Amino acid sequence: MKYIWKSYISVLLIISLTITALSNVAGAASNSTREVKASDESSVEKSVYSINASISPDITAKVKELKKTVKREAKELQSENSKHYELNDGSFIAEISPGSPYYQDNEGEWHNAVTKLTDEANIYKTNVKISKAFKNSINFEKSDFITKKSSNYRPLQVSYDAVIPKVYSDGYIVRKNNSTVKLIPLNTTSVTGSIYNDSSIQYTDVWKNTNVTLTVLNNAIKEDIILKNADSPTVFSFEIQGLDETLKTEDLEIQSPWLIDQNGVIKNVEQKFRKEGNKKILDIFFDPTDLKFPVTIDPTVLTYTNNGIDNNIFFSGGEFTPSGNTGYSGTGYFQLYRYYDGLNRLNYGTGSIDFYAYPFPTNGTKVQFATLIMKYYGNGIAQTIDMNYGFNPYPYDAVFGSMPSTTVQGTEGFLSIDITNPIKAWFSSYQAYNMNSNIRFNFSTNSLNSSYSYYNWTPDYAKIIIGYNVYAPGTAAITSPQNGTIVDSNYNITWNAAIDQDDPQSSLKYNIQLSTNGGSTWSDIVPLTAAGASSYTYNFSSIANTTNAIIRIRPFDGIDYGSWVQSPTFTIKHNTVPNAPTALNPGSTNSATPTLVGTTTPALNWTFSDPDVGDTQGQYEVLIYNGTTLIRDSGWVSSSVASYTVPTSTLSRNGTYNWQVRTKDNKGAISALSAKYYIKVNNVPTVNVTSYTNGQQVTDNVLTFTWTYSDADGQAQSNYQIQGSQDNWTTVAYNSGALSGNATSFTTPPLASGNWSFRITAKDGLEWSAAATRSLVLPNAYEPNETTAQAYPINYAQNYTSLISTATDVDFYKYTATAAGIEKFKLTVPTGLNYDVYVYDASMNLIAAGIRGTGLAEEIIYNVNAGATYYIKIIGVGGSYNASANYGFSLNRQAAQYTTTYQYDANGNITGKTVTITN
């Protein structure tokens, strides 16, 4: 059963899961039925938990989040349900709990509630600060107590009085103010309880297969009735003394019970009040169908704060009010649910929590933050919870504001809700009337499915963590502008945050002002910045030029301003826009004579200039038109380069276009657009070869090519070029280079025999034409070449073939070195023959030779001088020849790479080196 006192006391009966699960249902703050075994009765008198010894986890977590530390406990601010701490920065944090986690002794001093049970026979020995509630209930004299065998257990350090029997059938008593209730269980065995822990007594097999545990909480007597199996009773009866059929007095109330089994199934528990003669009997009973045992009955007694504490923060969590046609509710829990009843009517369950307060201190205190912490149990489905809040007594039960919806998961957990704004509004509202007040938080849900489902809440684990302060903030330190700063338009004012003894820097706002006359007069730049700001961007464009500007800044913590701090004097000078770009090219300002451009992706160039010395181009924007139609807008391009390359697929051949450009300087000022400049995209010239035919076998190794040239734009030929390849353009074997002029014929030097591909291109002054081609077969026309005077001219990178046709045949070739360096001559020899090669300078001095054996190719590398003539002689060795098997050769420039490798001894000294030449 649950007894609750406030201005009334309610009692809620809950059938819970198991002893372990019970501690979850009851909430983390409740010290519920943990299985902590004691070896003997004396352990009841040993304190296992003292709030004085440590700060609560909720306060610890919040202080850590704030990156602060606790300086001291502010005992002068303590109340029956609140504790206050001063932090290292001078701010305060308070934990406001429902019920009475603290108690007053007979001298009126506050202490942390201690739930330890003490044997009445030993009370005279105790040296603890006994609560006023206990002291008022007895005459505290040694002679009042009897032996341990016939004595009871009593909690001495909580805000209420209780008598816990050693024999369960004697019944237990709860007292608060002028109300006393005694519950005597009926039809039980005469079982003596054993010590479960310092705060709990356990009674075994009180009813058949049913155990009971009575536990002292800070603000409750918690009774756990554990039904072990299906043979346990389904009806439990109690004689009630001190209540009538309404089950309530001015201070006490017994509410409807409910249960939860091992699988988490919750069912209604019925109760019936009856009389037997002069006795008042309360029966509770339930339907065990489909329940999974064990099942635990969890009655809990909650206490509420008294009135009459002045000039303190004073909260009481107390009234948890559900609504709807069904569901389970009480001081331990309320439920949010949604279901269809038998008439297909949709019913909803809602809940509310009230916190009570007296006038909040008005000596400069202000709220920094407030958080409501609650525990909930899910039904396996995540739900959206809607919230609003109202104040009482003025206006009574009015809804002052809504709060953002909160999503809770389908499993159990703790919910942390930001209630800073409601708390601030609450204090502002009721303080104006200097009266007692409460704030009510209302919870509801519309997101549950249509079948019966619910959300359990545990408002007996509900508390408010609130932070507040009393000090004005310190001063900021301006970091910009500084002396010598020149400001034009948008400028970022920066500062180092002020330090406040009782506010985090992230909560401070700043008032910023400007003087343009050295501090004689001031005007707001911004009345208050965003919280936590350390910079502010302001547009000075409307401020007149001055060399005598000053910024000043002061912090604001929500109530008080800090002192002003001023910047050094700085200058406001407005930027002049850049000039319109000039010297655009390519292009003509006359649309009738556009400038020809030789590509569809030309680079458009211009000149940037600015009246302000030192300003540079920061961005540009190029616009391209076809007539009056805009076909390309580059957008603003961040670049100091005064050039833009037109993207592909923008311009077409033979098209005429116009373009213009505008720029921004490095301070963001935009120039006017330039004049329009006109361009025309060039037509590529055309070349047709008029000499030879494809595949023709010519009779000479010297070729004369002729061609025709035409250009749609009427431009004359400015250049031409002839190239040849012996390997289908893998390499170029002959290249005339780009030759100037308008000639339409060209004669090559002697070329190697074999299959050749040729191409001829011409240029119109802007672009080269497509290649006109010929495929020809050249003869072996090197003979006679038996002497140096008859030596056949050869070129680099061509593949030559010829014959040693008789035993006395000698072939001479010659060439002129194009540059100094290394060259390579490579000779391939027919199978079974032995040919050698010799290289001479112009004076017939031997430079290099390849004299390998039969069938082996020769490859020689040698140095040459630029412009020098060299002779190549190829002979058959020992009369070796073949009148039908060709030898082949090629001449190439050679690049040599030198690699030097050093050798070292064990001490790292160089002992030698190797030079490798790689061709």
Side-chain angles (χ1 to χ4, degrees):
M1 315 262 168
K2 294 187 176 177
Y3 302 90
I4 303 170
W5 46 84
K6 170 190 115 190
S7 52
Y8 58 86
I9 299 180
S10 7
V11 178
L12 171 65
L13 178 64
I14 303 169
I15 299 181
S16 148
L17 183 62
T18 63
I19 290 178
T20 302
L22 186 60
S23 66
N24 293 332
V25 173
S30 64
N31 278 346
S32 58
T33 55
R34 300 172 297 176
E35 189 170 358
V36 181
K37 295 182 179 179
S39 59
D40 56 48
E41 190 176 82
S42 64
S43 66
V44 175
E45 301 177 32
K46 297 178 182 178
S47 176
V48 296
Y49 180 47
S50 172
I51 299 178
N52 284 325
S54 64
I55 302 170
S56 76
D58 297 305
I59 290 288
T60 300
K62 188 62 180 181
V63 171
K64 183 177 180 181
E65 176 190 332
L66 296 173
K67 298 182 179 179
K68 298 181 183 181
T69 57
V70 173
K71 180 179 179 181
R72 69 181 182 94
E73 181 180 349
K75 292 186 177 181
E76 71 277 10
L77 298 177
Q78 184 168 353
S79 70
E80 188 173 340
N81 66 336
S82 68
K83 268 195 145 182
H84 302 253
Y85 302 89
E86 184 181 1
L87 304 183
N88 61 303
D89 63 355
S91 63
F92 289 84
I93 190 168
E95 181 176 62
I96 318 303
S97 302
S100 303
Y102 317 112
Y103 75 96
Q104 277 185 308
D105 64 19
N106 206 41
E107 287 73 38
E109 293 184 6
W110 291 105
H111 304 277
N112 295 323
V114 178
T115 59
K116 171 185 171 183
L117 284 168
T118 300
D119 195 307
E120 288 176 335
N122 293 333
I123 290 180
Y124 72 94
K125 299 178 183 179
T126 185
N127 59 359
V128 301
K129 294 288 186 179
I130 295 176
S131 73
K132 183 186 295 186
F134 173 77
K135 187 71 178 291
N136 290 342
S137 69
I138 63 169
N139 182 12
F140 185 41
E141 299 292 342
K142 177 178 178 180
S143 59
D144 291 336
F145 300 101
I146 55 178
T147 65
K148 285 191 175 183
K149 183 176 181 181
S150 59
S151 61
N152 299 303
Y153 293 113
R154 306 288 287 271
L156 306 181
Q157 294 172 275
V158 293
S159 61
Y160 60 95
D161 180 43
V163 179
I164 307 300
K166 290 186 177 179
V167 177
Y168 179 66
S169 59
D170 291 345
Y172 58 94
I173 300 172
V174 182
R175 297 188 182 98
K176 183 71 173 183
N177 297 331
N178 298 320
S179 297
T180 299
V181 168
K182 182 173 183 179
L183 269 76
I184 305 171
L186 303 180
N187 305 316
T188 64
T189 60
S190 181
V191 175
T192 299
S194 61
I195 297 167
Y196 190 63
N197 60 35
D198 280 4
S199 303
S200 300
I201 304 297
Q202 187 175 73
Y203 309 90
T204 303
D205 291 328
V206 173
W207 288 282
K208 181 180 179 181
N209 296 321
T210 303
N211 296 342
V212 172
T213 300
L214 294 179
T215 302
V216 177
L217 306 180
N218 287 346
N219 59 344
I221 294 295
K222 175 181 178 62
E223 180 175 5
D224 298 327
I225 304 174
I226 303 102
L227 287 70
K228 299 178 184 179
N229 53 47
D231 290 333
S232 299
T234 59
V235 178
F236 301 92
S237 299
F238 296 84
E239 179 184 350
I240 300 177
Q241 298 177 3
L243 294 175
D244 58 18
E245 64 273 10
T246 65
L247 300 181
K248 66 171 64 175
T249 69
E250 180 181 355
D251 304 302
L252 299 174
E253 179 184 11
I254 299 178
Q255 292 186 338
S256 299
W258 53 281
L259 64 81
I260 181 171
D261 75 351
Q262 186 176 11
N263 289 335
V265 174
I266 295 176
K267 294 182 66 176
N268 202 6
V269 175
E270 303 294 334
Q271 64 182 12
K272 181 179 180 181
F273 181 86
R274 59 187 172 89
K275 289 185 179 181
E276 290 184 359
N278 293 327
K279 292 184 179 180
K280 302 171 185 177
I281 308 298
L282 179 67
D283 299 319
I284 62 173
F285 49 93
F286 64 95
D287 181 2
T289 303
D290 297 329
L291 291 179
K292 176 69 174 178
F293 286 86
V295 174
T296 302
I297 299 176
D298 178 16
T300 300
V301 177
L302 298 179
T303 66
Y304 292 86
T305 55
N306 294 313
N307 298 333
I309 299 175
D310 296 327
N311 299 320
N312 245 323
I313 307 173
F314 191 79
F315 287 78
S316 175
E319 188 173 351
F320 312 122
T321 308
S323 64
N325 290 350
T326 189
Y328 312 102
S329 61
T331 56
Y333 306 89
F334 66 76
Q335 291 189 321
L336 307 182
Y337 61 88
R338 171 182 170 184
Y339 81 106
Y340 287 94
D341 64 14
L343 300 177
N344 202 32
R345 294 174 300 189
L346 185 62
N347 295 298
Y348 295 94
T350 64
S352 64
I353 303 178
D354 288 356
F355 284 87
Y356 298 88
Y358 290 87
F360 199 75
T362 56
N363 56 343
T365 305
K366 63 182 181 299
V367 173
Q368 291 176 317
F369 60 84
T371 303
L372 172 63
I373 301 173
M374 294 180 60
K375 190 171 185 179
Y376 66 87
Y377 297 90
N379 62 346
I381 304 171
Q383 305 294 348
T384 300
I385 305 303
D386 303 313
M387 298 178 59
N388 60 50
Y389 62 93
F391 306 142
N392 188 6
Y394 184 85
Y396 190 83
D397 280 345
V399 174
F400 268 39
S402 61
M403 299 170 61
S405 296
T406 299
T407 299
V408 295
Q409 301 305 311
T411 56
E412 68 181 68
F414 285 90
L415 191 62
S416 180
I417 305 169
D418 182 4
I419 56 170
T420 304
N421 290 334
I423 292 296
K424 285 185 175 181
W426 181 26
F427 287 167
S428 298
S429 175
Y430 81 75
Q431 284 192 90
Y433 304 95
N434 193 26
M435 59 177 63
N436 301 341
S437 175
N438 72 285
I439 184 170
R440 171 168 294 174
F441 294 100
N442 302 302
F443 301 81
S444 63
T445 182
N446 194 31
S447 66
L448 295 165
N449 57 37
S450 59
S451 61
Y452 178 76
S453 57
Y454 52 83
Y455 239 88
N456 288 340
W457 294 78
T458 312
D460 59 331
Y461 190 90
K463 62 176 66 177
I464 291 177
I465 304 296
I466 184 170
Y468 59 96
N469 67 339
V470 295
Y471 298 103
T475 57
I478 297 176
T479 53
S480 64
Q482 289 295 317
N483 191 25
T485 297
I486 299 176
V487 174
D488 175 21
S489 54
N490 285 331
Y491 182 78
N492 193 32
I493 304 164
T494 62
W495 60 91
N496 292 329
I499 296 199
D500 193 310
Q501 294 187 59
D502 52 9
D503 281 297
Q505 290 178 322
S506 60
S507 70
L508 297 180
K509 300 179 181 181
Y510 295 86
N511 176 205
I512 306 175
Q513 291 188 339
L514 169 69
S515 174
T516 58
N517 51 20
S520 297
T521 59
W522 297 90
S523 60
D524 272 346
I525 284 180
V526 58
L528 285 176
T529 66
S534 58
S535 65
Y536 186 81
T537 299
Y538 181 69
N539 190 336
F540 287 80
S541 299
S542 62
I543 308 300
N545 288 349
T546 179
T547 59
N548 207 17
I550 302 174
I551 292 290
R552 70 178 183 181
I553 299 176
R554 61 176 176 171
F556 180 67
D557 64 7
I559 290 183
D560 300 316
Y561 285 97
S563 299
W564 289 107
V565 63
Q566 293 186 184
S567 73
T569 301
F570 63 97
T571 297
I572 299 175
K573 182 180 182 299
H574 296 301
N575 181 45
T576 307
V577 299
N579 299 316
T582 58
L584 278 66
N585 72 86
S588 165
T589 56
N590 188 344
S591 61
T593 57
T595 300
L596 278 173
V597 294
T599 175
T600 57
T601 59
L604 308 180
N605 307 291
W606 60 90
T607 298
F608 172 86
S609 63
D610 195 296
D612 296 324
V613 176
D615 280 7
T616 58
Q617 176 181 293
Q619 298 182 64
Y620 66 79
E621 181 183 28
V622 173
L623 306 174
I624 302 175
Y625 296 86
N626 185 348
T628 58
T629 302
L630 178 67
I631 62 172
R632 172 69 65 176
D633 183 347
S634 69
W636 285 108
V637 178
S638 295
S639 175
S640 61
V641 178
S643 181
Y644 172 73
T645 300
V646 179
T648 58
S649 303
T650 301
L651 308 181
S652 301
R653 293 286 178 183
N654 200 39
T656 300
Y657 305 92
N658 62 86
W659 67 281
Q660 55 187 163
V661 60
R662 60 178 177 172
T663 59
K664 288 183 183 180
D665 63 17
N666 53 308
K667 297 171 185 174
I670 303 174
S671 75
L673 280 165
S674 69
K676 289 187 175 182
Y677 275 64
Y678 294 84
I679 58 175
K680 180 182 179 183
V681 182
N682 181 53
N683 288 291
V684 177
T686 303
V687 172
N688 290 305
V689 182
T690 57
S691 58
Y692 308 112
T693 59
N694 284 325
Q696 181 178 345
Q697 295 189 6
V698 296
T699 59
D700 197 348
N701 293 77
V702 176
L703 302 176
T704 297
F705 288 102
T706 61
W707 63 91
T708 60
Y709 168 87
S710 61
D711 184 84
D713 299 314
Q715 299 178 95
Q717 174 181 294
S718 61
N719 301 86
Y720 59 94
Q721 185 174 23
I722 295 86
Q723 294 178 312
S725 174
Q726 293 179 285
D727 54 11
N728 199 28
W729 300 109
T730 301
T731 61
V732 175
Y734 174 73
N735 190 349
S736 69
L739 304 175
S740 298
N742 58 0
T744 56
S745 66
F746 177 78
T747 300
T748 68
L751 303 176
S753 60
N755 294 317
W756 281 81
S757 299
F758 293 95
R759 59 191 179 196
I760 301 172
T761 55
K763 190 176 183 182
D764 61 3
L766 292 175
E767 296 178 273
W768 289 93
S769 69
T773 61
R774 281 289 183 269
S775 298
L776 302 175
V777 180
L778 275 64
N780 183 347
Y782 312 144
E783 300 287 351
N785 62 340
E786 280 75 18
T787 66
T788 56
Q790 297 173 322
Y792 188 83
I794 61 174
N795 294 295
Y796 293 104
Q798 295 188 24
N799 298 314
Y800 294 87
T801 59
S802 191
L803 298 168
I804 299 295
S805 56
T806 67
T808 59
D809 191 7
V810 177
D811 290 342
F812 275 94
Y813 303 92
K814 68 178 179 180
Y815 74 98
T816 300
T818 58
I822 301 173
E823 296 185 341
K824 178 169 69 175
F825 187 91
K826 184 174 182 180
L827 172 68
T828 58
V829 181
T831 302
L833 300 178
N834 186 4
Y835 294 169
D836 289 343
V837 58
Y838 301 89
V839 180
Y840 302 91
D841 62 15
S843 301
M844 294 306 292
N845 296 311
L846 181 64
I847 295 176
I851 54 174
R852 302 178 71 196
T854 299
L856 298 178
E858 306 289 354
E859 188 173 296
I860 54 178
I861 297 174
Y862 52 93
N863 287 318
V864 298
N865 297 316
T869 299
Y870 294 90
Y871 292 93
I872 308 294
K873 181 173 75 171
I874 299 174
I875 63 171
V877 178
S880 182
Y881 75 94
N882 190 313
S884 61
N886 289 322
Y887 65 82
F889 66 87
S890 62
L891 173 68
N892 291 281
R893 298 284 300 165
Q894 187 71 15
Q897 180 177 349
Y898 293 84
T899 303
T900 302
T901 304
Y902 294 92
Q903 291 81 43
Y904 302 88
D905 62 18
N907 296 321
N909 301 310
I910 296 176
T911 59
K913 70 176 181 178
T914 303
V915 179
T916 303
I917 302 176
T918 305
N919 296 325

